[in-house]
Amino acid sequence: MSAAKVKMRQKKMRNQPASVQYSSISPLNVDNGGDTPTTSRGGDGRSDAHQSTERPKSSHHQRGWVCGHQKDGGGYAREMPKYITAGAFARARAAEVSAMLKAVTKTTGSSHVFGALPKHMRRRAMSHNTKRLPRRLREVANRMREKSLQAGSKKKKEQAKSKSRKARRRHGNLLLEFNRRQRKNVWLETHIWHAKRFHMLKKWGYCLGDRPTYKCYRPCYRAMSSHCLLQDLSYYCCIELQGEEHKLLASLSQLTSKEAGPTFAAALCLSGRRQGSVVVYRAGQYPSQPLGPVTFLWRPRTQGSTHRQLWIWAHPTLKQDLLPELQSVCQCCEAVVPPVVLEVAPAEVVPAVESEPKAEKTPEVRQITGTKRKRSHKDASGPPAKKILGDGTRSPTTPVTWKSSSTGIVINDLTMEIVRYRLIGPQSHSVLAETLEAATDCADMNKSEPSSLWWPEHCKDESKMNLHQQQADVFHILKGIYSTGELPTGTVLGLTVDDPRLTLPTKKVKALPCVKQAQEVDEEKRRELMLRGVPEHCCQSFLWEQSVRNNVTDHKISEQELNRMRSEVLVPGSRLSPTPLQGRVPILLVHQPGKQVGHEMSSWGAGWDLLLPKGWGMAFWVPLVYRGVRIGGLNMSLKHSQNKGAPHFPHDYPDCPAGVRFQEEQEAELLDKFKRRPPAKRTNYIKHGCLAPFRCPWQQLAEEWELIVREGGEERGNRTQSTTEADTVMEEMTSHQDVTVTKPPSRFTVLRNRKAVKLLSSWCRPSTSKGQRSCRVGEVPLLDRSAKISFLATHGMSVVWVRLSLLSKGKPELHTILCVPTTEDLKLLNKEPGSSGPQEPPHRDHFKSRIKCRKKCSKKPAASSQSSDKTEGKGLDLPSASDPNPITTEDTKSSSSPPSDLVFGLWPDPLPSVSSHCSRVTLGWVTQGDFSLSAGCGEALGFVSVAGLLNTLLNQPREHRGMVLLRNPTSLQYRFAKINIEV
């Protein structure tokens, strides 16, 4: 019998009692009516079980009852038992009878009553028409059918069929679906446009475009270098502060320091002519506990008033730390509850398909199950759903305004209230000049009549129209400028423009500077604009007023109305004349600086930021796209920062709370990706000498270098580590490091003191990217032991931002190790300038055998503890003295961890010494690395320990000062690189 038949028979017989089989020796061996076999009591003392296992030689000598047919064709034995127990026999037979009745009456699975019929009488149509069943089974079948229908209706709640795709794609249904999906993640106004062309990413509570679906890395770089790249930065959070100027400056001064650069009180920024940027700290905690970088913009002063208005723009991950700190220093703890609006505002409409009220079902109008749902007349006459503008995840009762009764300062959260686009490239001003046109006057309108629109009311004021004309003249001068980088950094221009949809071209055209317009511009005015920027009174904009923003958003012309107006034009394709009164939009143009540090590619990546009221995002986005710009996402923002040599937030801010959270998320993501690969295909980072391939232990690095310098580590900083010296370093680190699971408090800081960074840069001898030409520096003190000690007295636990350029081939990767070259390495560089560099000796994996042993132990849980201890002792390979990274017994004990923490190829926590783990001393790590299209070689950005850098520079010869080694986590090959600290 096959295995399948055996299983089938066991399934059928699972409710039956065990088969009865008598012993072949004696009928007396079976008692109680065949239920319980008893053991024999023969003189030989053998049990009946042993005797029954012996197969008889011939079937003719079988005795007793045997279940089933015999192989030789013989029948059953006729010998019967001599006596039975009546009670036990009756119980056994009763169990068999009850099992037989149960098997007959039980209905199986999905067959229900049809299982009671013979197979030749069953028909498929019986499940639909019960009259095809015999009369005796019709009643039961009808009851079961009604029961199944009731269960199905409870489960599905009589839900109709899903709508067809044509119905789902209707505007009303599509809008309901989009509003429902905006409950969890905020959508930008350009979300639908990006979702069709980009890989979308859910980050920081937003749905953002990460990178395009088509290959465009080099075209985007060319756009940033020669034309224009467009990005949507509306996810940046805007916080508005209003109050007296001196009170605002007194409160904000607690968050900044003049040592780190210009603050909120910088003269040019305070006047409203320039946008400023600053790194914000917790109140009174400089230089420790930084929060992150912010940009700020003051509204220009009004005559006879000390009341000021300030916008602070911050990254969404920084807002959760910045907003409570601003409330604390400004003493704004009184939340202003938003008024309850009876009308449903666009930003508060969050309708969904599930929440639609259902009409009461009457007998006449009853929806039949299985038919498509039609919209009732009552639903059709109701107000249509409105598109969500702003933050759809925020509750209408959530406070967005806080005020202080003592200082009079008011804080408003304007997140998603202002649309912000960034144009990067030398021709950004040409794109803006072709897309935007200054608003026209309302000459044909009777100015005595009141209007609900904001622009006709402003046209009645002569002073406001004079200001608008001056701003339009400055914008006209902007067309004659050759490159965006020629303007002063952070220049601000306020303007009111016409609806750009009115001048939308029929085809995509590439916006280029017009030579004819450039010749028409007055040369003296253009030179004045390039040297001094925009006058202060022209920086004013009506975008600062909330009433104007709301008026512009509420009275925007819809696409349907605009298309109807276009269809009525006599000449198809011509501009609408006169311009509709609703088509005037106040904007702000803010100049964004390019590369500001270093001596190469000055002003690369400069551009403009375009600030708009909410609701007008797509009205400006499509006309900009039609001017031939490239579109970038989050990935291109990172590359833009990398090419400028500037730290990118939150990636390159390891001492900020947002940077710490980002590093933890990145480590979890990379570790999960590493574990998804099979062990045979993973990189063994232990053999490559990489302790932390998915994160950078900055705190441990700063502590170790402070200890090395304090205990006289000058000799260790520039040597080839031998076994004895490495043992000494490891013992020191083991005794110094607190081997606990808890993480030490983050006491290290990033060096942001301008004077200290300039001094450190001069000691590194700043040079060009490949180190061929040295740059002139002023008189600086010489680097000696006393200068090093005095510098480290205040900045010993700091790391500094550096740029590294490879001297030969190579492409730095994320978390690349920065090491100190030995004397032999520098001799090799002198002998062979184009040398690839030294190699790291392969390390031994001391945990590989332990992982194998623990896997074997997990497969054999019944093994004794003594044998497992012996196996573990044999399997653990202790490092020998010839290893490049020997470890002590204390390190071996400390590195032992539970089996769940051991991952093949990764060093478990706590880590040993990160500075002395490899054959070259570690200085820091790379946070951004790639092949630079601008420099033509591999470039990296990262941090190094200030103590380690000074110790290295002091021990290096002058001709090789600032030379370091780079090594990728997945490689053993070192590459020579020049270190630059750009200021």
Side-chain angles (χ1 to χ4, degrees), residues 105-118:
T105 57
K106 182 183 178 182
T107 58
T108 59
S110 60
S111 61
H112 302 291
V113 295
F114 309 110
L117 288 172

Side-chain angles (χ1 to χ4, degrees), residues 139-157:
E139 186 179 356
V140 180
N142 288 330
R143 285 201 305 267
M144 294 184 67
R145 187 169 181 270
E146 291 178 2
K147 187 177 180 181
S148 63
L149 288 176
Q150 291 176 1
S153 63
K154 287 181 181 179
K155 186 176 181 180
K156 297 183 179 179
K157 297 182 180 179

Side-chain angles (χ1 to χ4, degrees), residues 4 103 149 181 188 197 464 774 802 834 841 857 890 910 926 958:
L149 288 176
R181 288 163 60 185
L188 307 184
R197 299 164 178 88
K464 293 180 179 179
S774 61
V802 296
C857 293
E890 290 82 359
V926 168
R958 190 170 184 82

Side-chain angles (χ1 to χ4, degrees), residues 189-494:
E189 294 186 16
T190 59
H191 173 83
I192 302 298
W193 192 95
H194 278 90
K196 296 177 180 179
R197 299 164 178 88
F198 275 67
H199 295 283
M200 304 304 290
L201 209 61
K202 294 180 180 178
K203 292 186 80 171
W204 314 312
Y206 293 83
C207 227
L208 305 174
D210 183 37
R211 63 191 188 282
T213 53
Y214 51 92
K215 296 181 180 179
C216 64
Y217 176 73
R218 287 178 180 269
C220 285
Y221 172 77
R222 286 195 295 267
M224 289 189 289
S225 301
S226 58
H227 192 246
C228 182
L229 181 83
L230 178 61
Q231 291 178 319
D232 188 356
L233 299 185
S234 303
Y235 60 91
Y236 267 71
C237 304
C238 180
I239 302 174
E240 182 185 61
L241 276 71
Q242 297 184 25
E244 299 296 326
E245 181 179 321
H246 65 280
K247 293 182 179 180
L248 287 174
L249 292 177
S251 301
L252 295 174
S253 62
Q254 305 176 41
L255 306 178
T256 59
S257 175
K258 293 181 180 179
E259 296 181 359
T263 63
F264 290 100
L268 282 175
C269 300
L270 192 60
S271 64
R273 297 177 60 186
R274 306 286 174 85
Q275 176 186 252
S277 61
V278 68
V279 177
V280 179
Y281 294 80
R282 294 199 182 274
Q285 297 296 325
Y286 175 83
S288 60
Q289 299 187 26
L291 296 179
V294 298
T295 58
F296 60 93
L297 185 62
W298 288 93
R299 184 178 184 178
R301 298 183 180 92
T302 54
Q303 293 182 356
S305 175
T306 59
H307 188 272
R308 298 300 303 273
Q309 196 171 346
L310 172 67
W311 282 349
I312 299 177
W313 294 85
H315 196 272
T317 57
L318 176 58
K319 178 187 170 183
Q320 58 182 329
D321 302 316
L322 177 63
L323 189 57
E325 202 67 25
L326 288 174
Q327 294 174 358
S328 175
V329 296
C330 297
Q331 303 177 16
C332 295
C333 302
E334 304 174 15
V336 179
V337 181
V340 180
V341 183
L342 298 179
E343 289 187 12
V344 182
E348 298 172 342
V349 176
V350 192
V353 179
E354 294 84 350
S355 61
E356 289 182 353
K358 296 182 179 180
E360 295 182 1
K361 294 183 180 180
T362 59
E364 294 80 15
V365 189
R366 183 177 181 181
Q367 185 178 348
I368 303 174
T369 306
T371 59
K372 293 184 179 180
R373 178 174 50 192
K374 294 183 179 180
R375 192 172 183 179
S376 63
H377 295 285
K378 184 178 179 181
D379 295 337
S381 61
K386 295 182 181 179
K387 182 180 179 182
I388 291 180
L389 296 177
D391 190 355
T393 62
R394 180 186 295 167
S395 172
T397 58
T398 303
V400 293
T401 305
W402 299 266
K403 64 178 182 179
S404 172
S405 56
S406 58
T407 60
I409 298 176
V410 179
I411 298 178
N412 293 319
D413 185 7
L414 300 183
T415 302
M416 295 298 296
E417 292 294 313
I418 299 175
V419 178
R420 185 163 190 155
Y421 294 155
R422 176 161 294 176
L423 292 88
I424 305 170
Q427 300 303 322
S428 301
H429 65 287
S430 301
V431 174
L432 291 174
E434 285 199 20
T435 307
L436 308 178
E437 288 188 6
T440 54
D441 191 7
C442 302
D444 301 335
M445 178 185 171
N446 189 2
K447 296 184 178 180
S448 61
E449 296 180 2
S451 175
S452 60
L453 303 176
W454 77 280
W455 182 247
E457 295 296 325
H458 281 69
C459 289
K460 299 175 184 179
D461 193 340
E462 194 69 26
S463 61
K464 293 180 179 179
M465 294 310 298
N466 291 335
L467 175 62
H468 171 68
Q469 187 60 40
Q470 294 177 15
Q471 292 174 339
D473 294 340
V474 174
F475 185 68
H476 181 69
I477 298 173
L478 206 62
K479 300 178 181 180
I481 293 178
Y482 177 72
S483 176
T484 307
E486 297 177 0
L487 294 171
T489 299
T491 300
V492 180
L493 174 62

Side-chain angles (χ1 to χ4, degrees), residues 401-655:
T401 305
W402 299 266
K403 64 178 182 179
S404 172
S405 56
S406 58
T407 60
I409 298 176
V410 179
I411 298 178
N412 293 319
D413 185 7
L414 300 183
T415 302
M416 295 298 296
E417 292 294 313
I418 299 175
V419 178
R420 185 163 190 155
Y421 294 155
R422 176 161 294 176
L423 292 88
I424 305 170
Q427 300 303 322
S428 301
H429 65 287
S430 301
V431 174
L432 291 174
E434 285 199 20
T435 307
L436 308 178
E437 288 188 6
T440 54
D441 191 7
C442 302
D444 301 335
M445 178 185 171
N446 189 2
K447 296 184 178 180
S448 61
E449 296 180 2
S451 175
S452 60
L453 303 176
W454 77 280
W455 182 247
E457 295 296 325
H458 281 69
C459 289
K460 299 175 184 179
D461 193 340
E462 194 69 26
S463 61
K464 293 180 179 179
M465 294 310 298
N466 291 335
L467 175 62
H468 171 68
Q469 187 60 40
Q470 294 177 15
Q471 292 174 339
D473 294 340
V474 174
F475 185 68
H476 181 69
I477 298 173
L478 206 62
K479 300 178 181 180
I481 293 178
Y482 177 72
S483 176
T484 307
E486 297 177 0
L487 294 171
T489 299
T491 300
V492 180
L493 174 62
L495 193 63
T496 302
V497 298
D498 286 336
D499 192 340
R501 295 176 293 177
L502 304 176
T503 57
L504 185 68
T506 56
K507 293 183 179 180
K508 278 189 179 182
V509 292
K510 193 168 185 179
L512 296 173
C514 183
V515 180
K516 186 177 179 180
Q517 290 181 352
Q519 292 175 354
E520 293 176 356
V521 174
D522 189 1
E523 185 66 28
E524 211 166 295
K525 292 183 179 179
R526 181 171 59 184
R527 190 181 296 113
E528 184 76 15
L529 180 64
M530 292 168 57
L531 293 177
R532 299 186 179 181
V534 179
E536 182 176 346
H537 62 278
C538 292
C539 301
Q540 188 63 260
S541 174
F542 298 111
L543 189 67
W544 288 94
E545 301 178 11
Q546 185 176 2
S547 58
V548 175
R549 294 198 303 265
N550 295 338
N551 188 285
V552 173
T553 301
D554 296 340
H555 294 91
K556 177 194 171 187
I557 307 176
S558 64
E559 291 288 340
Q560 182 180 5
E561 181 67 18
L562 193 63
N563 292 334
R564 186 193 61 79
M565 295 167 66
R566 283 172 179 167
S567 65
E568 296 175 356
V569 177
L570 294 178
V571 181
S574 61
R575 178 171 175 171
L576 295 177
S577 181
T579 305
L581 296 178
Q582 305 96 319
R584 271 76 170 191
V585 188
I587 65 170
L588 262 177
L589 294 174
V590 183
H591 181 267
Q592 288 298 320
K595 186 177 181 183
Q596 296 179 287
V597 294
H599 301 272
E600 302 170 348
M601 298 175 58
S602 180
S603 299
W604 184 94
W608 288 92
D609 276 13
L610 178 61
L611 275 62
L612 312 166
K614 71 175 181 180
W616 285 83
M618 286 305 296
F620 280 77
W621 182 267
V622 175
L624 288 171
V625 171
Y626 266 68
R627 264 64 184 193
V629 300
R630 282 277 176 179
I631 311 299
L634 295 177
N635 186 33
M636 202 47 61
S637 296
L638 181 63
K639 294 301 176 183
H640 179 236
S641 301
Q642 181 178 340
N643 288 323
K644 289 199 305 182
H648 188 74
F649 189 84
H651 302 64
D652 304 322
Y653 286 81
D655 56 339

